[in-house]
Amino acid sequence: MSRYTPAEIETKWQTAWDEAETFRATRSDDKPKYYVLEMFPYPSGRIHMGHVRNYTMGDVIARYRIATGHNVLHPMGWDAFGMPAENAAMERGGHPKDWTYGNIADMRAQMKPLGLSIDWSREFATCDPEYYGQQQALFLDFLEKGLVYRKNATVNWDPVDMTVLANEQVIDGKGWRSGAPVERRELTQWFFKISEYSEELLEAIDRLDNWPDKVKLMQRNWIGKSRGLQFDWALTEPSHGHETIVVYTTRPDTLLGASFLGISPDHPLAKALEADNPDLAAFNAECRRTGTSEEELERAEKKGFDTGLKVRHPLDPTWELPVWVANFILMDYGTGAIFGCPAHDQRDLDFCRKYDLPVIDTFLAIDDPTPVEAEAFVPPKTEKVKWINHFTGIDMATGQDAIDATITQAERDGWGTGVTKYRLRDWGLSRQRYWGCPIPVVHCEACGVAPEKKENLPVRLPEDVSFDQPGNPLDRHPTWRDVPCPACGAPAKRETDTMDTFVDSSWYFARFTAPDAETPTRMEDAAYWMNVDQYIGGIEHAILHLLYSRFFARAMHICGHLPESAIEPFDALFTQGMVTHEIYVTRDEKDRPVYHLPGDIEWHESGARLGATGEAVEVIPSAKMSKSKKNVVDPSDIIERYGADTARWFVLSDSPPERDVEWTAAGADAAYKHLARVHRLATEELVDPSAENPGEDEELYRAMHRTIHDVTMGVESFGFNAAIAKLYAFTSTIARSNAGGHAKREALRTLAQLMAPMTPHLSEEVWSLLGGEGLVVDAPWPVADEAFLVDDTVTLPIQINGKRRDEIEVPKDLDKAEVEKRALATEAVQKALAGGQPRKVIVVPGRIVNVVV
RNA sequence: GCCCGCGUGGUGGAAUGGUAGACACAGGGGACUUAAAAUCCCCAGGCGCAAGCCGUGCCGGUUCGAGUCCGGCCGCGGGUACCA
């Protein structure tokens, strides 16, 4: 009997697949196509177990689809531009390009041993000039169609390093390297007009039937459609050319509770007032010192400044309200001005109390209005409340009816307009960084923005750059930057901003359909392979990446690069959880935490200890694997120790795929043992292949077809862990079975087939040991025979008042009345009834009987 | 702050509104073995001698019946537009 030797087996079968070009995808009309894609990795240096999990899931789907007769496209590439490469260049020298391509080579070498069914001939990295050149072509097409424009926007500015910082690089309002307080600075930047597609992107969500509901809900909320009232508040005295302040509100029904008008520090009026009010200028400057992220703005302490200006209430000209500048009002949303209603908004109430502004008593109420104290009254949206209607007195209405009625009245009387707004903002794509796709335009004094000519693409990144000083090296590279204008030939300057890396990942899925095309896509290939039938990736991409990709597919269609059928590029989406691990920590002499790799830990009766010193180690509950916490397991170590099949089996078996999975050494051991057992069964069963044992054979076939059915359902519905539980059970059934050799061999071959998407190498080995024809990867997926799936009798639990008390075995098709009769005859029911009659009997055929006494 | 999830034995988890804990790990017992490893078999939510009672983060609701649906909390995680 030969032992299970994954290293040998895995190399052998990977070679076989390579030689047969099993995973090379070519267009063909004799089979339905199936495009399965996992979100491509950022080449950080090493693959981690999260990658293994992501790509294994995709591989299960891909191999299952091959087996069910599909022409499968399963490509892989690299999301290769981005900040970490520049940071690496700054920290340890070298060039971002070398760092990135070196990482790609390392990670590819780590991925290949996993035995993924990938068509490596289509591989590319987004930092390949062939790829980003086509992206530049897309940009020029978008520019021509009016989908891109320039406007001013604020960025985080580090005044010491003289550089723009990402939100992630701002820590407690300070630059991560310089430690200097960050300022907001306005720059002219490029934007995609995604907001023009707000309604379209919102409405199309309804047709994404195979996306998770949570993702669709997040996208709906992100787009944030609202219906509200837009109307003017007249200033009592015009100020700096402003006669009114325009306000947008989604709660016009609370207009009679207004206490103050608030404007953003970035509102044009607020800026104009700075000129003759140094205190206000100081206040606005203070507000601008916080970062640009919404989280930071919303969590900042609410502050205000009285401008001294007054406005008249639109419904009562004698009613004057003060105008304040407030730091919580965003210029990006609505009109950058609000009215505050303290009675019905907690934030406004807090603001009024803080600055001693008048608080008008509550006027929306379920019963009788009560004066507002510390808490604002926010009525439930669906509940009718008393509502003071400024035209008809007191009405009863739900919040929405009151809002709609107010808008109708405002429009009728001409003092306001119903307006639909979206929270979604245009997508700023300019980055003041080197390691990204250059924006292919030139700035010319005479011509303004001059698009680069397509025949000059790609606009390549210069390679002779250094990262020994902060800022964008493109800005200080004269031979690259100073070029003649493509339109008039006069001396001009190249745009030195590069594109947001989200641009790179917004169309790579389309490029995979024809990675060698001399235009961004080749239409016949795009038409054949698109859409992605199954897209798999992390939930962290639920909004930005997926929304940007949906926009890009539409824009590419407008420019003739995708067919209309591909404007929703991902037919089905699955979001998987993370791989986590316990964290091991000791303390240094200053009580600072020192983290340790799982491989350095030994387990003793007294708990975890450092292998080297025996020092006791504190074990912190599982968290996402991260380098800083050292709770990482290197997939290469796992593959070397157990083989790829074990790693694959484990990441699929131990948790439902949408949830986090904790990597445990014990779990990996168990997975290995199971695979070794299957291998052992296959080698044992080589003896006496023809023996039969009729009764036992039927039992085994029954289990086999039940397993085929369950595993098929499991794979189709991403129930991998449940499918694997069935495979464990089936393996035990085979091991214990007294069936004849023929039946056992067939059962084992079927087991190999059912396991093949998860453990492809072992399955090939078992398949070939047991005389399977050809490669298991080419064998058609087994089909469950319905005749073996149904049992003649069924066991029904008997509940009394909802608690299980007994059970009866009855023929499968026994009619309800007879089931009820037999249930009532049971000892438990007779005892409970004590001679009386049941109040009610519920019979759910085939499931349960509940007797209410 | 706001939006979206998640919470079940010692552990990972299973369960179309219908027998809570499948399958697996760790644990206990046994078989085989000179012994160990490997393998195989059995036990196992908690309390209780038992009958039985309790039990899916907490509180409440809908239902004949709730882990599952609804409302309110608590805790943890993801996103929050320049991390990818």
Side-chain angles (χ1 to χ4, degrees):
Chain A
M1 189 174 73
S2 64
R3 275 179 46 82
Y4 173 47
T5 50
E8 268 170 53
I9 290 174
E10 291 176 4
T11 312
K12 174 167 84 180
W13 294 109
Q14 283 171 23
T15 307
W17 301 326
D18 281 348
E19 281 172 2
E21 297 200 327
T22 304
F23 306 121
R24 190 170 195 110
T26 42
R27 277 162 47 198
S28 155
D29 290 328
D30 57 1
K31 290 183 199 172
K33 70 93 189 177
Y34 197 91
Y35 183 4
V36 53
L37 183 66
E38 302 95 56
M39 290 179 187
F40 66 165
Y42 178 78
S44 55
R46 303 284 292 172
I47 66 166
H48 52 70
M49 293 311 301
H51 292 124
V52 173
R53 193 181 193 203
N54 190 203
Y55 306 134
T56 301
M57 284 180 202
D59 204 45
V60 170
I61 301 297
R63 288 174 177 273
Y64 171 71
R65 290 295 165 185
I66 293 171
T68 53
H70 292 79
N71 189 25
V72 169
L73 172 59
H74 185 205
M76 181 60 68
W78 309 93
D79 187 14
F81 276 135
M83 286 199 309
E86 285 187 53
N87 293 339
M90 277 186 268
E91 273 161 27
R92 52 196 106 143
H95 194 282
K97 179 180 169 180
D98 299 331
W99 184 85
T100 302
Y101 281 103
N103 286 348
I104 288 173
D106 290 348
M107 290 174 74
R108 189 194 302 110
Q110 282 186 288
M111 274 167 78
K112 290 254 171 133
L114 282 169
L116 302 171
S117 61
I118 284 166
D119 179 357
W120 286 100
S121 74
R122 290 172 187 260
E123 176 190 356
F124 60 77
T126 55
C127 61
D128 295 342
E130 295 74 27
Y131 183 80
Y132 72 70
Q134 297 302 335
Q135 187 162 302
Q136 291 167 343
L138 282 178
F139 179 92
L140 294 177
D141 288 346
F142 289 7
L143 188 60
E144 197 182 314
K145 297 280 183 193
L147 294 162
V148 205
Y149 69 102
R150 297 215 304 161
K151 70 170 178 183
N152 284 354
T154 49
V155 293
N156 303 305
W157 179 256
D158 185 321
V160 170
D161 275 355
M162 305 287 281
T163 181
V164 177
L165 298 177
N167 286 335
E168 191 189 52
Q169 299 171 315
V170 179
I171 295 155
D172 294 331
K174 301 195 172 81
W176 67 333
R177 283 172 198 284
S178 70
V182 168
E183 297 167 3
R184 274 193 261 172
R185 176 171 280 212
E186 283 216 345
L187 295 179
T188 306
Q189 310 206 58
W190 288 95
F191 283 82
F192 288 124
K193 277 193 191 166
I194 187 172
S195 69
E196 262 186 23
Y197 293 82
S198 296
E199 182 61 36
E200 152 82 16
L201 289 166
L202 176 67
E203 176 262 350
I205 291 173
D206 292 339
R207 294 190 292 279
L208 298 174
D209 295 331
N210 295 308
W211 280 42
D213 287 338
K214 62 181 170 186
V215 174
K216 292 193 277 189
L217 190 53
M218 280 188 262
Q219 292 218 351
R220 284 192 188 99
N221 291 339
W222 184 261
I223 293 169
K225 183 179 186 175
S226 67
R227 179 80 182 159
L229 183 70
Q230 190 155 309
F231 58 112
D232 291 345
W233 296 69
L235 286 157
T236 53
E237 310 269 343
S239 172
H240 296 84
H242 294 261
E243 292 187 9
T244 61
I245 295 173
V246 187
V247 164
Y248 173 78
T249 178
T250 58
R251 290 301 306 276
D253 56 322
T254 64
L255 189 50
L256 289 185
S259 288
F260 66 96
L261 210 76
I263 61 177
S264 164
D266 297 318
H267 192 279
L269 179 57
K271 286 182 173 173
L273 288 168
E274 286 179 21
D276 38 40
N277 188 340
D279 290 344
L280 176 59
F283 176 82
N284 284 349
E286 179 64 34
C287 292
R288 289 186 195 113
R289 260 196 273 283
T290 54
T292 57
S293 78
E294 185 191 312
E295 184 192 1
E296 202 180 331
L297 292 169
E298 286 282 339
R299 291 168 78 107
E301 193 199 341
K302 310 291 179 266
K303 286 182 191 165
F305 186 95
D306 188 357
T307 63
L309 300 178
K310 295 266 192 285
V311 287
R312 297 186 198 286
H313 196 285
L315 299 174
D316 178 0
T318 64
W319 182 356
E320 294 186 1
L321 292 84
V323 178
W324 283 62
V325 176
N327 66 341
F328 55 86
I329 302 167
L330 305 176
M331 197 58 221
D332 281 325
Y333 186 68
T335 59
I338 59 140
F339 71 83
C341 175
H344 302 299
D345 184 290
Q346 190 63 44
R347 186 188 62 187
D348 294 347
L349 179 60
D350 295 343
F351 190 81
C352 288
R353 293 283 188 237
K354 180 168 178 176
Y355 291 108
D356 211 16
L357 290 161
V359 173
I360 293 174
D361 273 346
T362 182
F363 55 93
L364 297 176
I366 288 172
D367 301 313
D368 288 318
T370 48
V372 176
E373 298 296 337
E375 282 187 27
F377 172 65
V378 182
K381 270 190 179 163
T382 49
E383 192 158 343
K384 277 202 174 184
V385 294
K386 283 183 185 169
W387 163 51
I388 300 179
N389 179 333
H390 32 272
F391 297 96
T392 60
I394 295 174
D395 281 355
M396 287 290 285
T398 65
Q400 194 55 52
D401 287 346
I403 291 164
D404 294 344
T406 311
I407 293 173
T408 305
Q409 289 161 1
E411 289 187 330
R412 185 194 64 201
D413 297 343
W415 56 271
T417 318
V419 172
T420 299
K421 282 196 191 289
Y422 300 87
R423 206 185 73 100
L424 180 63
R425 307 199 296 257
D426 278 336
W427 169 12
L429 67 122
S430 295
R431 296 291 180 273
Q432 295 72 40
R433 274 185 259 285
Y434 167 78
W435 192 234
C437 171
I439 295 174
V441 302
V442 172
H443 299 281
C444 170
E445 270 190 32
C447 310
V449 171
E452 187 55 82
K453 291 189 174 125
K454 274 201 181 165
E455 59 263 33
N456 294 335
L457 300 185
V459 175
R460 285 171 185 268
L461 286 170
E463 296 196 13
D464 52 336
V465 288
S466 67
F467 294 88
D468 46 7
Q469 52 180 302
N472 180 358
L474 297 177
D475 274 336
R476 45 174 196 263
H477 192 298
T479 58
W480 187 82
R481 188 191 59 196
D482 300 335
V483 290
C485 170
C488 71
K493 285 197 189 315
R494 213 180 260 303
E495 170 69 68
T496 57
D497 283 355
T498 52
M499 296 188 204
D500 176 12
T501 56
F502 274 121
V503 181
D504 311 337
S505 56
S506 291
W507 72 286
Y508 76 107
F509 47 86
R511 184 71 184 167
F512 274 136
T513 65
D516 58 338
E518 295 188 353
T519 46
T521 60
R522 193 184 296 124
M523 272 300 243
E524 61 264 38
D525 285 304
Y528 177 81
W529 289 114
M530 290 296 287
N531 296 335
V532 176
D533 292 277
Q534 182 66 60
Y535 196 32
I536 305 170
I539 187 67
E540 68 272 21
H541 295 295
I543 297 175
L544 293 180
H545 162 60
L546 290 165
L547 192 62
Y548 290 157
S549 296
R550 295 179 60 218
F551 164 71
F552 241 67
R554 284 167 171 76
M556 286 175 75
H557 165 61
I558 289 167
C559 301
H561 297 302
L562 279 178
E564 187 175 7
S565 57
I567 60 170
E568 281 301 339
F570 311 122
D571 275 353
L573 173 70
F574 186 85
T575 54
Q576 105 264 357
M578 301 178 296
V579 179
T580 64
H581 199 288
E582 288 177 332
I583 297 168
Y584 307 108
V585 59
T586 54
R587 300 276 162 179
D588 70 4
E589 65 280 359
K590 288 185 179 158
D591 205 37
R592 289 173 303 209
V594 180
Y595 297 101
H596 302 280
L597 291 165
D600 296 339
I601 306 302
E602 282 180 7
W603 291 91
H604 299 266
E605 298 236 332
S606 53
R609 292 183 175 277
L610 271 183
T613 63
E615 190 183 348
V617 170
E618 189 189 346
V619 180
I620 296 176
S622 227
K624 181 177 181 171
M625 287 188 178
S626 77
K627 278 186 193 167
S628 63
K629 299 278 164 48
K630 291 202 176 176
N631 60 335
V632 289
V633 173
D634 192 313
S636 296
D637 295 344
I638 299 300
I639 292 170
E640 199 178 315
R641 180 161 173 193
Y642 300 100
D645 282 338
T646 294
R648 296 170 56 118
W649 185 259
F650 176 72
V651 293
L652 294 170
S653 68
D654 228 38
S655 254
E658 68 277 11
R659 225 188 282 181
D660 295 347
V661 62
E662 179 178 15
W663 181 273
T664 59
D669 281 335
Y672 180 85
K673 279 182 189 172
H674 175 74
L675 302 193
R677 184 189 197 196
V678 171
H679 184 261
R680 195 167 55 245
L681 286 172
T683 48
E684 280 170 3
E685 289 314 313
L686 287 172
V687 250
D688 196 12
S690 62
E692 281 185 54
N693 195 354
E696 299 285 340
D697 289 1
E698 159 139 7
E699 271 311 296
L700 186 58
Y701 283 132
R702 203 169 269 286
M704 182 175 94
H705 285 279
R706 172 52 60 190
T707 307
I708 293 172
H709 176 265
D710 290 347
V711 171
T712 305
M713 303 302 278
V715 170
E716 295 226 2
S717 63
F718 279 85
F720 302 130
N721 57 327
I724 282 178
K726 304 289 185 188
L727 288 166
Y728 270 111
F730 183 45
T731 307
S732 291
T733 304
I734 298 174
R736 285 173 211 171
S737 171
N738 292 319
H742 179 78
K744 283 184 103 167
R745 285 170 71 91
E746 190 180 340
L748 279 166
R749 277 200 305 271
T750 303
L751 177 67
Q753 278 188 286
L754 295 176
M755 287 174 66
M758 298 123 178
T759 56
H761 315 86
L762 173 66
S763 288
E764 291 289 2
E765 183 72 11
V766 169
W767 181 258
S768 99
L769 281 170
L770 296 174
E773 205 176 310
L775 293 171
V776 78
V777 71
D778 296 323
W781 191 250
V783 177
D785 184 339
E786 294 288 328
F788 285 109
L789 296 183
V790 285
D791 287 319
D792 299 334
T793 62
V794 58
T795 303
L796 292 183
I798 310 298
Q799 290 185 333
I800 294 167
N801 293 338
K803 295 201 173 199
R804 185 182 173 282
R805 284 290 182 266
D806 208 337
E807 61 182 35
I808 50 173
E809 181 149 327
V810 297
K812 180 169 65 76
D813 303 319
L814 192 66
D815 69 82
K816 264 176 116 167
E818 184 62 22
V819 170
E820 181 172 334
K821 204 171 128 193
R822 292 197 197 179
L824 290 178
T826 57
E827 203 183 318
V829 173
Q830 284 303 311
K831 197 174 145 199
L833 287 174
Q837 287 299 307
R839 290 213 306 222
K840 196 170 177 182
V841 180
I842 293 113
V843 177
V844 185
R847 301 248 42 144
I848 204 164
V849 180
N850 190 14
V851 181
V852 185
V853 297

